[in-house]
Amino acid sequence: MSITGGIRALAAVAATLAVTLAQLNLPRGFWPRQDPILYGSVAVLVVIGLHEGLGSAAQLSQAARVRDYERNIRAVLGAGLSLVVTETGCAWDSIGVHVFRSRYPWRLCLLVNIGGIRLGSKPSMQWPMWKPGKGVVGKAWSTGSHVAVDWRSFYTSANLAGRAAWTGLSPDDRYRLSWGELQLTSDYVSIAACPIFDSGGQQIGCVVIDLPVSHTDLLKPRVREIMRDVATAVHQLGTPPVTWWKYRSRW
C-alpha cells in the first residue's frame, strides 16, 4: 500500500469509529456537544467514497488502454529479442530484453520496469530498484549513452576481492550497488543498456538486454542499432496510461 493509501485508510477508520460511537452514544453524554467532529467524520467518509468510486470508474474506462499498452510493449520487445537472436546466434531462452521508464523528477527518479521478455528462468531479479547511476541501467541513464559491461568478469573480480574491498570502492566504480545487491546479479554474463529519448530530446528511459556473449559483441553497430530501434518504438507507444501505474504501486 502507498503512503497516501495508508493515510486514507487511517482516516476512514477514524471517521467510521467516530460515527459508530456517536450512534451508540459511547461514552455516554459526550457526542451531543461534538457536532464538528461528527460533521467532519461524515465529510471524510463521503470524500473517500467519492475518491474510491471515481478511481474505480477511471480504472474501468482505461482497462482497454492498459491491455493495449502492455500488448504493444510485449510485441516491441519480442521483435527486439528475435533480432538479437538472429544477430548473435544465442539461444532464445538465454536472452532478456527489458525497458525501464523514468518515474518522478530527477532527484527522486526511479527507473521502473514497464515491460520485459525472457523465455528462460535465469538470470532473474525480482523488482529491481534502479536509479540514476545505479546498475548498468542507471549508468546508461546518467551518461545518456550506450553502455555494455562484461558483468560476469566484474562480478567474479569483485567477489574475489571481498566485501571490504567492495565497500571501499567509489559508488560509481561499484555501480552504486550494495554488497547484497551485487550477489543477486551472479547469473548475468553481459549487460547492455541504451537510453530512450523523446521527440524533444528529453531522456525518458532505457532499453536493456542481457545475454551470454562478450560485452564487445554488445558494442557492435548492428546490436546497438537493434537497441536504438527498440528504444524508438517504445517512445512511439507513448506514456503508460495513468491507471497503469497503479500496477506499480511499489513505486
Side-chain angles (χ1 to χ4, degrees):
M1 179 182 293
S2 65
I3 294 176
T4 55
I7 293 174
R8 189 164 58 245
L10 288 174
V13 170
T16 302
L17 180 62
V19 172
T20 301
L21 290 175
Q23 290 177 326
L24 296 174
N25 193 26
L26 294 175
R28 296 188 180 280
F30 175 77
W31 293 104
R33 297 183 300 276
Q34 304 302 327
D35 287 350
I37 295 178
L38 291 175
Y39 289 139
S41 297
V42 171
V44 167
L45 292 175
V46 169
V47 169
I48 291 176
L50 286 173
H51 181 273
E52 295 294 336
L54 291 173
S56 297
Q59 282 188 314
L60 288 174
S61 68
Q62 291 201 35
R65 289 189 59 205
V66 170
R67 289 194 298 270
D68 287 343
Y69 184 81
E70 294 192 335
R71 182 170 57 250
N72 290 334
I73 283 286
R74 287 195 298 270
V76 168
L77 297 182
L81 173 65
S82 177
L83 291 171
V84 171
V85 168
T86 300
E87 177 62 26
T88 64
C90 291
W92 286 80
D93 61 357
S94 67
I95 301 171
V97 184
H98 300 269
V99 59
F100 293 80
R101 193 174 178 98
S102 59
R103 180 77 163 150
Y104 307 121
W106 179 270
R107 290 184 179 276
L108 301 174
C109 179
L110 291 175
L111 298 172
V112 180
N113 188 332
I114 64 169
I117 184 168
R118 184 189 301 282
L119 302 182
S121 60
K122 291 184 178 182
S124 176
M125 289 187 70
Q126 295 297 319
W127 299 102
M129 298 288 286
W130 302 127
K131 299 178 181 180
K134 186 172 183 178
V136 178
V137 182
K139 186 169 184 178
W141 172 271
S142 295
T143 62
S145 59
H146 189 100
V147 175
V149 181
D150 182 344
W151 196 262
R152 174 167 289 173
S153 294
F154 177 78
Y155 173 87
T156 300
S157 297
N159 275 274
L160 287 174
R163 183 169 187 167
W166 177 259
T167 55
L169 294 174
S170 71
D172 287 340
D173 286 341
R174 53 185 170 85
Y175 292 87
R176 299 185 180 274
L177 297 175
S178 68
W179 179 255
E181 289 170 330
L182 174 69
Q183 303 312 307
L184 297 177
T185 67
S186 61
D187 293 324
Y188 289 87
V189 180
S190 289
I191 308 171
C194 77
I196 303 171
F197 296 97
D198 64 17
S199 55
Q202 183 72 27
Q203 193 170 222
I204 59 174
C206 289
V207 171
V208 185
I209 64 172
D210 64 85
L211 62 164
V213 298
S214 70
H215 74 288
T216 54
D217 288 331
L218 295 181
L219 291 171
K220 290 181 177 179
R222 178 54 183 155
V223 175
R224 296 177 62 144
E225 180 184 5
I226 292 170
M227 295 185 69
R228 286 196 302 270
D229 288 346
V230 171
T232 299
V234 169
H235 160 56
Q236 291 173 342
L237 292 178
T239 59
V242 174
T243 54
W244 182 91
W245 294 104
K246 295 289 186 181
Y247 298 115
R248 297 298 190 267
S249 59
R250 181 185 177 91
W251 290 279

